[in-house]
Amino acid sequence: MAGGDGRLSHELIPGEKGPQDSCGVFGVWAPGEEVARLTYFGLYALQHRGQEAAGIATSDGESILVYKDTGLVSQVFDDQALESLSGHLAVGHARYATAGGRAWHNAQPTLGPTATGTVALAHNGNLTNVHELLDIVSERSGTDLSGDLGKGSSTDTAVITHLLGTEPPSDGGLGDAAMAVLPLLRGAFSLVFMDEHTLYAARDPHGIRPLVLGRLPSGWAVASETAALDIVGATFVREVEPGELLAVDADGLRSSRFALADPKGCIFEYVYLARPDTTIAGRPVNSARTEMGRVLAREAPAEADLVIPTPDSGTPAAIGYAQASGLPFAQGLVKNAYVGRTFIQPTQTIRQLGIRLKLNPMREVIAGKRLVVVDDSIVRGNTQRALVRMLREAGAAEVHVRISSPPVKWPCYYGIDFATRAELIANGMSVEQIRDSLGADSLGYISVDGMVEATAIAPDRLCTACFTGAYPVPHEDASLTPVVSA
Ligand code: SF4
């Protein structure tokens, strides 16, 4: 999979967005290497985590340069831009922005002054106590900043940068400031940041978003996913531990603990968000997805002739479903690989083709067949509804939809933007009502227990809140009320 376009199954209809991660982060300390170029390729491997802005900051030990803009990594940077970013350490960011937050000033890394120099910071996740933190920032600066900082989707990152910038000077510099600030933060944060000399990486005590450490021949790299280490030739060393702050510079690698670890890794990383060639907490994502398909086949069997995936994110689960059910697997849909995310709006005529802009059915494979169509999740249901219609038009005798995650009923407060609660199709609808709305012959979801079992991670070390409503970290949304379960 190369970037977000490879995960098409939630992005098949023009204007219809799937679950969006709030970013990919990458950092490198490697004297003698072209760190901006390494960061570029690291971000390129993390493009699926954020496609709306990208940025890189580098330092040569004297000063920090930053280059960032809206667009895909490949659109933001060219050779000239990378040439201008000299130095031996760098941090980078690929951003997903919520509506209205696409502006340049929301792109990361953020830059800010500190008592001992400058901080450049990139953040993946979402803080749950931003208002509390804004009060601290306002108190320290003597002015009410909630109006300025409180705007936009980059609030939490700006707040962290301000907090680091307003820590008093100390011999330990930015590292000391981070040890004072990190315990104040709640929610999900996988951070990479740096001053002129030192690269830092920190992960929240629950380790909700992934963050890993790799070794380069002449230095170190940190990245949201192991796949980004692979692409720059770094060897995976270990995860950045929940509650850990790492520092890397000429004095080597140092680890400090700012909180006790209480792991609650996001299960949706295994379902959909992470690349299949990434490993999280020792479990390869592809293996987890394939196993989810096997469990799904046992829990929701179907009388059918053929199993087909919704490409690409449904593919591992469809393979698992076929293995466990004994039904043949086939590619019944061809993806238009180069029609990816584009800033060019389709014409009205093309928009009306909807899903066909990105997928085309193979009639000779599916005509007359009873199909099991496997997808990783249903958010709004618009994609699956269009898909079922298209398969019927192409001659499918029956369409049985199978989903390798349970119904998404709750919002995520830790960095994933699914949809508003009112838009979630499973919000207040039974499985039978959803089936009817999709126009499928049958609909089956994996159970929560089955999904958790497939990850091979202990249930008490996972967040499953968007499926269960059991939030491992308190959040500030007082309006939350339980959704009627299906
Ligand atoms: Fe992941 Fe869902 Fe938890 Fe958000 S609520 S962190 S998407 S499992």
Side-chain angles (χ1 to χ4, degrees):
M1 183 182 69
D5 300 341
R7 308 185 327 148
L8 273 174
S9 78
H10 287 282
E11 296 164 6
L12 295 168
I13 301 175
E16 175 83 354
K17 280 189 173 175
Q20 299 282 340
D21 203 329
S22 56
C23 308
V25 294
F26 189 87
V28 58
W29 184 89
E33 292 282 347
E34 290 183 76
V35 290
R37 237 165 253 272
L38 285 177
T39 307
Y40 171 87
F41 285 108
L43 294 180
Y44 195 69
L46 297 171
Q47 184 76 85
H48 59 289
R49 299 185 75 87
Q51 292 119 19
E52 295 187 353
I56 296 175
T58 57
S59 172
D60 57 4
E62 300 288 326
S63 58
I64 294 179
L65 293 169
V66 64
Y67 190 99
K68 55 185 178 177
D69 207 346
T70 53
L72 298 171
V73 176
S74 59
Q75 293 170 318
V76 170
F77 296 99
D78 57 16
D79 262 319
Q80 207 181 350
L82 294 174
E83 290 294 335
S84 69
L85 290 166
S86 57
H88 63 276
L89 68 159
V91 296
H93 192 260
R95 172 177 174 76
Y96 163 69
T98 49
R102 275 189 180 181
W104 181 91
H105 65 264
N106 279 335
Q108 296 185 33
T110 56
L111 268 188
T114 67
T116 49
T118 310
V119 57
L121 181 136
H123 172 211
N124 174 211
N126 196 47
L127 300 184
T128 55
N129 65 334
V130 171
H131 292 107
E132 195 183 306
L133 298 172
L134 277 170
D135 288 345
I136 300 174
V137 174
S138 299
E139 199 182 301
R140 284 186 187 178
S141 59
T143 41
D144 180 7
L145 290 170
S146 57
D148 293 330
L149 285 179
K151 281 187 209 142
S153 50
S154 56
T155 302
D156 45 7
T157 312
V159 168
I160 300 170
T161 311
H162 269 72
L163 286 170
L164 291 171
T166 48
E167 277 297 312
S170 84
D171 290 347
L174 185 58
D176 279 0
M179 286 301 283
V181 168
L182 293 171
L184 304 175
L185 312 181
R186 300 281 175 273
F189 53 93
S190 282
L191 303 172
V192 294
F193 54 106
M194 66 183 204
D195 59 16
E196 286 78 355
H197 312 281
T198 307
L199 171 71
Y200 297 92
R203 197 168 172 209
D204 68 77
H206 304 290
I208 293 174
R209 300 275 145 247
L211 192 63
V212 290
L213 172 70
R215 191 82 167 103
L216 285 160
S218 62
W220 300 87
V222 285
S224 291
E225 297 189 26
T226 59
L229 297 181
D230 295 339
I231 204 171
V232 300
T235 313
F236 170 76
V237 175
R238 64 174 176 84
E239 304 237 330
V240 177
E241 293 296 324
E244 184 182 33
L245 170 69
L246 284 180
V248 184
D249 55 24
D251 295 329
L253 175 76
R254 301 180 297 284
S255 165
S256 314
R257 188 154 279 289
F258 64 87
L260 289 176
D262 177 19
K264 303 286 177 198
C266 168
I267 201 165
F268 213 74
E269 295 278 353
Y270 294 98
V271 169
Y272 171 73
L273 296 169
R275 289 172 52 133
D277 53 343
T278 274
T279 295
I280 304 173
R283 177 64 158 159
V285 170
N286 185 62
S287 304
R289 285 182 191 161
T290 309
E291 185 59 22
M292 284 171 196
R294 291 191 197 104
V295 175
L296 179 62
R298 288 199 297 274
E299 293 186 344
E303 288 275 326
D305 305 310
L306 203 59
V307 179
I308 67 167
T310 307
D312 282 324
S313 55
T315 301
I319 291 170
Y321 194 101
Q323 287 170 350
S325 65
L327 295 170
F329 170 89
Q331 296 285 358
L333 297 157
V334 173
K335 185 180 73 179
N336 298 333
Y338 296 97
V339 182
R341 289 181 74 92
T342 170
F343 290 106
I344 310 297
Q345 288 298 315
T347 66
Q348 190 55 28
T349 318
I350 291 179
R351 193 186 290 277
Q352 281 164 0
L353 290 174
I355 202 165
R356 280 177 200 252
L357 185 63
K358 294 187 174 178
L359 277 189
N360 209 16
M362 288 210 274
R363 286 173 181 75
E364 79 277 15
V365 174
I366 60 183
K369 296 283 190 339
R370 297 172 300 168
L371 301 177
V372 175
V373 184
V374 180
D375 207 345
D376 58 85
S377 52
I378 301 181
V379 178
R380 296 178 188 79
N382 296 335
T383 303
Q384 287 79 10
R385 192 176 302 113
L387 191 60
V388 170
R389 195 183 313 126
M390 185 175 73
L391 290 168
R392 288 202 195 284
E393 283 169 10
E398 294 174 13
V399 181
H400 302 274
V401 176
R402 294 293 179 270
I403 305 296
S404 61
S405 65
V408 176
K409 295 181 186 170
W410 302 80
C412 174
Y413 294 95
Y414 315 131
I416 306 306
D417 182 14
F418 283 115
T420 65
R421 290 184 82 214
E423 288 173 320
L424 293 173
I425 194 169
N427 180 355
M429 268 176 124
S430 69
V431 172
E432 174 53 23
Q433 285 169 323
I434 299 169
R435 180 207 62 73
D436 189 48
S437 154
L438 300 183
D441 291 287
S442 73
L443 170 64
Y445 290 90
I446 197 172
S447 66
V448 172
D449 287 349
M451 171 183 64
V452 169
E453 174 201 317
T455 65
I457 307 286
D460 63 353
R461 295 171 76 92
L462 289 167
C463 173
T464 57
C466 48
F467 304 110
T468 61
Y471 291 94
V473 186
H475 53 82
E476 289 180 328
D477 186 354
S479 68
L480 188 73
T481 49
V483 178
V484 179
S485 61

